[in-house]
Amino acid sequence: MASGPVAIKRALPGWIAAACVAAIVLGTLLAVALRAESGRGLGPAEWAAIRFTVFQAILSAVFSVMLAVPVARALARRRFKGRGFLISLLGAPFILPVIVAVMGLLAVFGRSGLLNETLRMLGLTEVSIYGLHGVVLAHVFFNLPLATRLILQGWQDIPSERFRLAAQLGFASRDVFRTLEAPMLLRTLPGAAAIIFAICLSSFAVALTLGGGPRATTVELAIYQAFRFDFDLGRAALLSCVQIALVGAAALAALKLSSRDGFGSGLDRPVQRWDAQGPWPRALDAAIISLAALFLILPIALVILKGAPALADLPTSVWTAALTSVLIALSSTVLMLALSLPVAIAAGTQNARLEAVGLLGIAASPLVIGTGLFVIINPIADPFALALPVTATVNAIMAMPFTLRIMVPTVRDTHASYHRLSMSLNLSGLSWLRLVLIPRLRPNLGFACGLTAAMSMGDLGVIALFADPQTATLPLQMYRLMGAYRMELASGAAVLLLAMSFGIFWLFDKGGRAHADA
């Protein structure tokens, strides 16, 4: 790492940006803690929300991981045309707006969805998507791809020489599973399940749209209800403290369980699976991959088919909300760059531990930060008038764990490779940034900006907390249309939101890679 005045000067903006992030997150947490009524205690409704939050997160993690194992195994054993595209598609739910995915699940499993239409035709009892099973279903939809990629990575980490040796020893498929695959799964599954459990603890939009009611209320939904319906800031703050404890403990467990030893290195030869030959294994893997692809693609395809004809009939309020979403997404992106880039430079050139500041947002959750900001702003200004800048700020902070992970390795490599040359040419400050770092970091910046903008575009968290009836982003306006049972217009808004989210991601990502593609 660099040392001396140059390194200090280069890292100083990063320390200032990190201090700003820490002040916002920790300041809001302190405001929440001080506002919470310590002697009040938790009532039956709060305990029910805690139990439901933990229970649905456990079920979501278990089902996501259990279903991901055969999908990852089939993808690991097969090479086929389109396999790379399918694996890339597994990353799409990460930037897919939650409210759009819920619309897609309603198109398949809702009252008028494909499944219930089929059950009615067969004279069978219909199913309801609302409640615990709907929340778990939506979480599985979002987290099955993540679990599949995590477990698939575990399979790819097994050296090909192990499978070759197993074939030479005449191992059958069950022997390979027992000696190679089962030990890998024992190492991989706890970490994957813990990560998904932590994610599902903070799920707000899914619980808002498919949960609700005393029997299906998460802690974050209870915070929202205490805030918006009862305006009980003490109860909201107390629940926020509970949420911080839950997510913090889950995040620590996920970090602990994810850092386990692997199988060691091999010779990087292509993996061949002699144990998976034959028509039955091939047919089984093809069926599993097809069902997984159908589960992920069908809901979104139905949203597009149902919503595309309604695009021309969308009211002005939807287009206004769409413009608001674009402004918030761009503001979040600019703010993310202003915070993440200096922190990434400081972490990559001076102190790697500075990257940990990005984890503060995940530990706190956006709804808790929003509650804290409301507590801070309320005595001095109208919080509802600041809904848009507050939403943009929280979205930028929530994106930082991902954007720092995207930027820091490249900053570190660039610094290691060009530091001596830069010093010999007396390149520092803006000249070093313009001539050395930015050209090499440009693809990472494009990807980070696209990720932030897409995540902000689909957010239905803080804006639901702060918005007044006259203010709405596109996800919130879509939720209001769904609440008014104007499902055709909601489907049209979903198509618009889907196109905008993926479009803005593509534009930034393409812009970042433009010089490399030229």
Side-chain angles (χ1 to χ4, degrees), residues 16-51:
I16 295 173
C20 290
V21 174
I24 293 174
V25 176
L26 298 179
T28 53
L29 296 185
L30 180 62
V32 165
L34 293 176
R35 190 66 177 79
E37 300 172 19
S38 57
R40 179 174 178 173
L42 298 170
E46 287 80 17
W47 281 114
I50 294 171
R51 284 194 298 271

Short mmCIF file of all heavy atoms in Angstrom, two decimals, residues 16-51:
data_model
loop_
_atom_site.label_atom_id
_atom_site.label_comp_id
_atom_site.label_asym_id
_atom_site.label_seq_id
_atom_site.Cartn_x
_atom_site.Cartn_y
_atom_site.Cartn_z
N ILE A 16 -13.63 11.06 4.46
CA ILE A 16 -14.73 12.02 4.66
C ILE A 16 -16.05 11.41 4.21
O ILE A 16 -17.08 11.50 4.90
CB ILE A 16 -14.44 13.33 3.89
CG1 ILE A 16 -13.21 14.02 4.48
CG2 ILE A 16 -15.66 14.25 3.93
CD1 ILE A 16 -12.75 15.24 3.69
N ALA A 17 -16.04 10.74 3.04
CA ALA A 17 -17.27 10.11 2.54
C ALA A 17 -17.72 9.00 3.49
O ALA A 17 -18.93 8.86 3.78
CB ALA A 17 -17.03 9.54 1.14
N ALA A 18 -16.76 8.19 3.97
CA ALA A 18 -17.11 7.12 4.91
C ALA A 18 -17.68 7.69 6.20
O ALA A 18 -18.65 7.13 6.77
CB ALA A 18 -15.87 6.27 5.21
N ALA A 19 -17.13 8.81 6.65
CA ALA A 19 -17.66 9.45 7.86
C ALA A 19 -19.08 9.94 7.65
O ALA A 19 -19.94 9.83 8.54
CB ALA A 19 -16.75 10.61 8.27
N CYS A 20 -19.35 10.47 6.45
CA CYS A 20 -20.72 10.93 6.14
C CYS A 20 -21.70 9.76 6.18
O CYS A 20 -22.81 9.86 6.74
CB CYS A 20 -20.75 11.61 4.77
SG CYS A 20 -19.92 13.19 4.71
N VAL A 21 -21.32 8.62 5.54
CA VAL A 21 -22.20 7.44 5.53
C VAL A 21 -22.43 6.94 6.95
O VAL A 21 -23.56 6.64 7.36
CB VAL A 21 -21.59 6.33 4.65
CG1 VAL A 21 -22.42 5.05 4.75
CG2 VAL A 21 -21.52 6.78 3.21
N ALA A 22 -21.34 6.84 7.71
CA ALA A 22 -21.46 6.35 9.10
C ALA A 22 -22.33 7.30 9.92
O ALA A 22 -23.14 6.84 10.75
CB ALA A 22 -20.07 6.23 9.72
N ALA A 23 -22.18 8.61 9.69
CA ALA A 23 -22.98 9.58 10.45
C ALA A 23 -24.47 9.42 10.13
O ALA A 23 -25.32 9.48 11.04
CB ALA A 23 -22.51 11.00 10.13
N ILE A 24 -24.78 9.23 8.84
CA ILE A 24 -26.20 9.08 8.46
C ILE A 24 -26.78 7.80 9.07
O ILE A 24 -27.84 7.82 9.70
CB ILE A 24 -26.33 9.06 6.92
CG1 ILE A 24 -25.97 10.43 6.34
CG2 ILE A 24 -27.75 8.67 6.52
CD1 ILE A 24 -25.93 10.46 4.82
N VAL A 25 -26.07 6.68 8.87
CA VAL A 25 -26.62 5.39 9.33
C VAL A 25 -26.64 5.31 10.85
O VAL A 25 -27.69 5.03 11.46
CB VAL A 25 -25.80 4.21 8.74
CG1 VAL A 25 -26.33 2.88 9.29
CG2 VAL A 25 -25.88 4.22 7.23
N LEU A 26 -25.50 5.59 11.48
CA LEU A 26 -25.44 5.47 12.94
C LEU A 26 -26.26 6.56 13.61
O LEU A 26 -26.86 6.33 14.67
CB LEU A 26 -23.98 5.53 13.40
CG LEU A 26 -23.08 4.40 12.86
CD1 LEU A 26 -21.66 4.58 13.35
CD2 LEU A 26 -23.63 3.04 13.26
N GLY A 27 -26.33 7.76 12.98
CA GLY A 27 -27.15 8.82 13.53
C GLY A 27 -28.63 8.46 13.52
O GLY A 27 -29.35 8.70 14.50
N THR A 28 -29.08 7.85 12.44
CA THR A 28 -30.49 7.44 12.38
C THR A 28 -30.76 6.31 13.38
O THR A 28 -31.82 6.28 14.01
CB THR A 28 -30.86 6.98 10.97
OG1 THR A 28 -29.94 5.98 10.53
CG2 THR A 28 -30.84 8.14 9.99
N LEU A 29 -29.79 5.39 13.53
CA LEU A 29 -29.98 4.31 14.51
C LEU A 29 -30.05 4.88 15.92
O LEU A 29 -30.86 4.43 16.74
CB LEU A 29 -28.84 3.30 14.41
CG LEU A 29 -28.71 2.53 13.09
CD1 LEU A 29 -27.61 1.48 13.19
CD2 LEU A 29 -30.03 1.88 12.71
N LEU A 30 -29.20 5.87 16.21
CA LEU A 30 -29.23 6.50 17.54
C LEU A 30 -30.55 7.22 17.76
O LEU A 30 -31.14 7.13 18.85
CB LEU A 30 -28.06 7.49 17.66
CG LEU A 30 -27.95 8.23 18.99
CD1 LEU A 30 -27.70 7.24 20.13
CD2 LEU A 30 -26.83 9.27 18.94
N ALA A 31 -31.03 7.90 16.71
CA ALA A 31 -32.32 8.60 16.83
C ALA A 31 -33.44 7.61 17.11
O ALA A 31 -34.34 7.87 17.93
CB ALA A 31 -32.60 9.39 15.55
N VAL A 32 -33.39 6.45 16.43
CA VAL A 32 -34.41 5.41 16.64
C VAL A 32 -34.32 4.88 18.07
O VAL A 32 -35.34 4.73 18.75
CB VAL A 32 -34.21 4.28 15.62
CG1 VAL A 32 -35.00 3.04 16.03
CG2 VAL A 32 -34.65 4.73 14.24
N ALA A 33 -33.09 4.62 18.52
CA ALA A 33 -32.92 4.06 19.87
C ALA A 33 -33.40 5.03 20.94
O ALA A 33 -34.04 4.63 21.92
CB ALA A 33 -31.45 3.71 20.09
N LEU A 34 -33.11 6.32 20.76
CA LEU A 34 -33.54 7.32 21.75
C LEU A 34 -35.04 7.52 21.72
O LEU A 34 -35.66 7.81 22.74
CB LEU A 34 -32.83 8.66 21.47
CG LEU A 34 -31.32 8.67 21.70
CD1 LEU A 34 -30.73 10.02 21.29
CD2 LEU A 34 -31.00 8.38 23.16
N ARG A 35 -35.63 7.37 20.53
CA ARG A 35 -37.08 7.58 20.41
C ARG A 35 -37.87 6.39 20.94
O ARG A 35 -39.02 6.53 21.34
CB ARG A 35 -37.45 7.81 18.94
CG ARG A 35 -38.88 8.27 18.71
CD ARG A 35 -39.08 9.66 19.31
NE ARG A 35 -40.41 10.17 19.06
CZ ARG A 35 -41.51 9.81 19.74
NH1 ARG A 35 -41.40 8.92 20.71
NH2 ARG A 35 -42.69 10.33 19.44
N ALA A 36 -37.23 5.19 20.94
CA ALA A 36 -37.92 3.99 21.42
C ALA A 36 -38.22 4.11 22.91
O ALA A 36 -37.40 4.62 23.67
CB ALA A 36 -37.06 2.76 21.16
N GLU A 37 -39.40 3.65 23.29
CA GLU A 37 -39.79 3.72 24.70
C GLU A 37 -39.35 2.44 25.38
O GLU A 37 -39.97 1.40 25.24
CB GLU A 37 -41.30 3.91 24.80
CG GLU A 37 -41.76 5.20 24.12
CD GLU A 37 -43.27 5.29 24.05
OE1 GLU A 37 -43.95 4.57 24.81
OE2 GLU A 37 -43.77 6.07 23.23
N SER A 38 -38.23 2.56 26.13
CA SER A 38 -37.59 1.36 26.69
C SER A 38 -38.50 0.61 27.67
O SER A 38 -38.45 -0.61 27.77
CB SER A 38 -36.28 1.75 27.39
OG SER A 38 -36.54 2.72 28.39
N GLY A 39 -39.33 1.33 28.43
CA GLY A 39 -40.16 0.65 29.42
C GLY A 39 -41.46 0.12 28.87
O GLY A 39 -42.25 -0.51 29.58
N ARG A 40 -41.69 0.39 27.59
CA ARG A 40 -42.98 0.01 27.01
C ARG A 40 -43.10 -1.48 26.77
O ARG A 40 -44.12 -2.08 27.00
CB ARG A 40 -43.15 0.78 25.70
CG ARG A 40 -44.44 0.48 24.97
CD ARG A 40 -44.56 1.40 23.77
NE ARG A 40 -45.75 1.15 23.00
CZ ARG A 40 -46.14 1.90 22.00
NH1 ARG A 40 -45.44 2.95 21.68
NH2 ARG A 40 -47.25 1.61 21.32
N GLY A 41 -42.06 -2.09 26.30
CA GLY A 41 -42.08 -3.53 26.04
C GLY A 41 -42.85 -3.87 24.77
O GLY A 41 -43.48 -3.02 24.15
N LEU A 42 -42.75 -5.13 24.40
CA LEU A 42 -43.41 -5.62 23.18
C LEU A 42 -44.74 -6.26 23.53
O LEU A 42 -44.83 -7.05 24.46
CB LEU A 42 -42.50 -6.64 22.48
CG LEU A 42 -41.14 -6.11 21.99
CD1 LEU A 42 -40.26 -7.26 21.54
CD2 LEU A 42 -41.35 -5.11 20.85
N GLY A 43 -45.77 -5.91 22.76
CA GLY A 43 -47.09 -6.48 22.97
C GLY A 43 -47.28 -7.75 22.15
O GLY A 43 -46.40 -8.16 21.39
N PRO A 44 -48.45 -8.38 22.27
CA PRO A 44 -48.72 -9.61 21.52
C PRO A 44 -48.59 -9.42 20.01
O PRO A 44 -48.09 -10.31 19.31
CB PRO A 44 -50.16 -9.95 21.92
CG PRO A 44 -50.36 -9.26 23.24
CD PRO A 44 -49.54 -8.02 23.19
N ALA A 45 -49.04 -8.26 19.49
CA ALA A 45 -48.96 -8.04 18.04
C ALA A 45 -47.50 -7.96 17.59
O ALA A 45 -47.14 -8.48 16.52
CB ALA A 45 -49.69 -6.75 17.68
N GLU A 46 -46.65 -7.31 18.38
CA GLU A 46 -45.23 -7.20 18.01
C GLU A 46 -44.54 -8.56 18.05
O GLU A 46 -43.77 -8.90 17.16
CB GLU A 46 -44.49 -6.22 18.95
CG GLU A 46 -44.82 -4.76 18.72
CD GLU A 46 -46.13 -4.35 19.35
OE1 GLU A 46 -46.62 -5.09 20.22
OE2 GLU A 46 -46.69 -3.29 18.98
N TRP A 47 -44.85 -9.36 19.09
CA TRP A 47 -44.26 -10.70 19.16
C TRP A 47 -44.73 -11.58 18.01
O TRP A 47 -43.97 -12.38 17.45
CB TRP A 47 -44.62 -11.36 20.50
CG TRP A 47 -43.77 -10.88 21.64
CD1 TRP A 47 -44.15 -10.16 22.72
CD2 TRP A 47 -42.35 -11.09 21.80
NE1 TRP A 47 -43.10 -9.88 23.54
CE2 TRP A 47 -41.97 -10.45 23.00
CE3 TRP A 47 -41.38 -11.73 21.05
CZ2 TRP A 47 -40.66 -10.45 23.46
CZ3 TRP A 47 -40.07 -11.73 21.51
CH2 TRP A 47 -39.73 -11.10 22.70
N ALA A 48 -45.99 -11.41 17.62
CA ALA A 48 -46.51 -12.17 16.47
C ALA A 48 -45.77 -11.78 15.19
O ALA A 48 -45.45 -12.64 14.35
CB ALA A 48 -48.01 -11.92 16.31
N ALA A 49 -45.49 -10.48 15.04
CA ALA A 49 -44.75 -10.03 13.85
C ALA A 49 -43.33 -10.59 13.85
O ALA A 49 -42.81 -10.99 12.80
CB ALA A 49 -44.72 -8.49 13.82
N ILE A 50 -42.70 -10.63 15.02
CA ILE A 50 -41.33 -11.19 15.11
C ILE A 50 -41.35 -12.68 14.75
O ILE A 50 -40.52 -13.16 13.97
CB ILE A 50 -40.76 -10.97 16.52
CG1 ILE A 50 -40.56 -9.48 16.79
CG2 ILE A 50 -39.43 -11.71 16.68
CD1 ILE A 50 -40.21 -9.16 18.23
N ARG A 51 -42.32 -13.40 15.32
CA ARG A 51 -42.40 -14.85 15.02
C ARG A 51 -42.64 -15.08 13.53
O ARG A 51 -41.99 -15.95 12.91
CB ARG A 51 -43.52 -15.49 15.84
CG ARG A 51 -43.18 -15.72 17.29
CD ARG A 51 -44.19 -16.67 17.94
NE ARG A 51 -45.55 -16.11 17.92
CZ ARG A 51 -46.05 -15.33 18.88
NH1 ARG A 51 -45.32 -15.01 19.93
NH2 ARG A 51 -47.28 -14.87 18.79
#
